[in-house]
């Protein structure tokens, strides 16, 4: 995701850095002498940091301090997976301040909103299924994300909904709570409205298939 072109995501990332100002990022990390030794953060591979911080490299406090850096890299560097970073955050954030946890949630919400604003067949675009899987690593219920989806009744968000329904039919791994929501009457009605509105668009077939599957 190009965070520089999405104002909401970029603003959330800056807000994340502000929330963690009391935890300055370390310049170097002490590591297991057999695995890493001492590592300069500026020279470290971001994926190695995401996987090893708090385990064989540095401490849980170092992971906390580097969370803004890791989340930004997860959205700008294809080598770093959002699910991996959020999964590591979930392991250690129980004793973080509410301000810090909310700042992480704000980034998640901004990324999710940006996804819904773009059609899933856009170049390098992610699907709702893939994004929900990544965000799910944070370990929180999907209610907040579904509320955003309900508010975003636009063509791109409807297209994502249709794709999720079709992907579920073909066996995609999807949270049961999301599936229950997607198949409920308000979403069935939404898909019908989208099918009528977008009947001439290239994704009309996906909408029609989704309507048949939830009907």
């Amino acid at each position: 995701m190009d965070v520089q072109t999405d104002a909401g995501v970029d603003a959330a990332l800056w807000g994340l850095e502000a929330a963690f100002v009391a935890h300055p990022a370390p310049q170097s990390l002490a590591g297991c002498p057999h695995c890493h030794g001492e590592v300069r953060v500026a020279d470290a591979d971001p994926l190695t940091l995401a996987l090893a911080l708090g385990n064989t490299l540095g401490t849980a406090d170092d992971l906390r301090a580097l969370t803004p850096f890791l989340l930004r890299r997860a959205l700008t560097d294809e080598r770093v997976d959002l699910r991996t970073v959020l999964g590591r955050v979930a392991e250690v954030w129980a004793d973080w301040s509410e301000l810090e946890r909310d700042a992480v949630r704000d980034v998640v919400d901004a990324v999710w909103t940006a996804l819904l604003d773009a059609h899933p067949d856009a170049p390098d675009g992610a699907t709702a299924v893939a994004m929900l899987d990544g965000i799910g690593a944070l370990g929180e219920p999907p209610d907040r994300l579904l509320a955003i989806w309900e508010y975003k009744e636009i063509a791109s968000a409807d297209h994502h909904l249709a794709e999720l329904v079709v992907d579920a039919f073909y066996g995609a791994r999807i949270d049961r709570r999301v599936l229950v929501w997607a198949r409920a009457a308000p979403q069935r009605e939404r898909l019908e409205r989208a099918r009528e509105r977008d009947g001439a668009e290239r994704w009309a077939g996906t909408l029609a298939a989704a309507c048949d599957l939830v009907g």
Side-chain angles (χ1 to χ4, degrees):
M1 174 179 291
D2 186 354
V3 300
Q4 302 302 321
T5 61
D6 189 281
V9 175
D10 197 40
L13 287 169
W14 283 112
L16 181 71
E17 293 185 7
F20 282 76
V21 69
H23 305 281
Q27 294 186 344
S28 62
L29 299 162
C32 167
H34 304 292
C35 303
H36 309 285
E38 186 172 346
V39 174
R40 276 176 45 85
V41 172
D43 300 330
D45 173 62
L47 180 57
T48 299
L49 290 179
L51 293 171
L53 268 172
N55 293 322
T56 58
L57 184 63
T59 66
D61 286 339
D62 292 324
L63 175 54
R64 181 183 198 171
L66 286 166
T67 288
F69 167 78
L70 290 173
L71 274 174
R72 185 177 286 275
R73 293 306 291 264
L75 299 176
T76 58
D77 188 333
E78 63 182 15
R79 296 171 299 169
V80 186
D81 179 66
L82 181 62
R83 180 176 179 81
T84 297
V85 174
L86 290 177
R88 295 306 319 285
V89 167
E91 293 173 14
V92 299
W93 79 336
D95 61 348
W96 292 7
S97 71
E98 196 62 32
L99 175 67
E100 292 162 348
R101 290 197 298 269
D102 282 346
V104 173
R105 294 184 183 108
D106 286 345
V107 172
V108 166
D109 290 356
V111 170
W112 176 243
T113 299
L115 175 88
L116 295 178
D117 284 340
H119 284 279
D121 54 357
D124 300 322
T127 65
V129 171
M131 186 63 72
L132 286 168
D133 182 61
I135 292 172
L138 201 55
E140 298 200 309
D143 306 60
R144 192 178 70 255
L145 304 177
L146 298 181
I148 294 172
W149 208 343
E150 289 175 0
Y151 174 77
K152 284 276 184 182
E153 191 164 344
I154 55 178
S156 55
D158 294 343
H159 189 183
H160 277 289
L161 176 58
E163 287 232 330
L164 179 137
V165 170
V166 173
D167 287 348
F169 176 76
Y170 285 106
R173 184 180 65 182
I174 301 171
D175 188 306
R176 182 189 59 80
R177 293 164 294 185
V178 174
L179 283 177
V180 169
W181 173 86
R183 293 165 176 165
Q187 280 59 253
R188 294 200 304 269
E189 294 166 1
R190 174 178 180 164
L191 287 170
E192 288 291 351
R193 291 194 297 272
R195 177 163 66 171
E196 294 177 5
R197 182 194 63 217
D198 297 339
E201 301 292 347
R202 64 183 182 279
W203 55 86
T206 304
L207 289 168
C211 287
D212 290 342
L213 289 170
V214 299

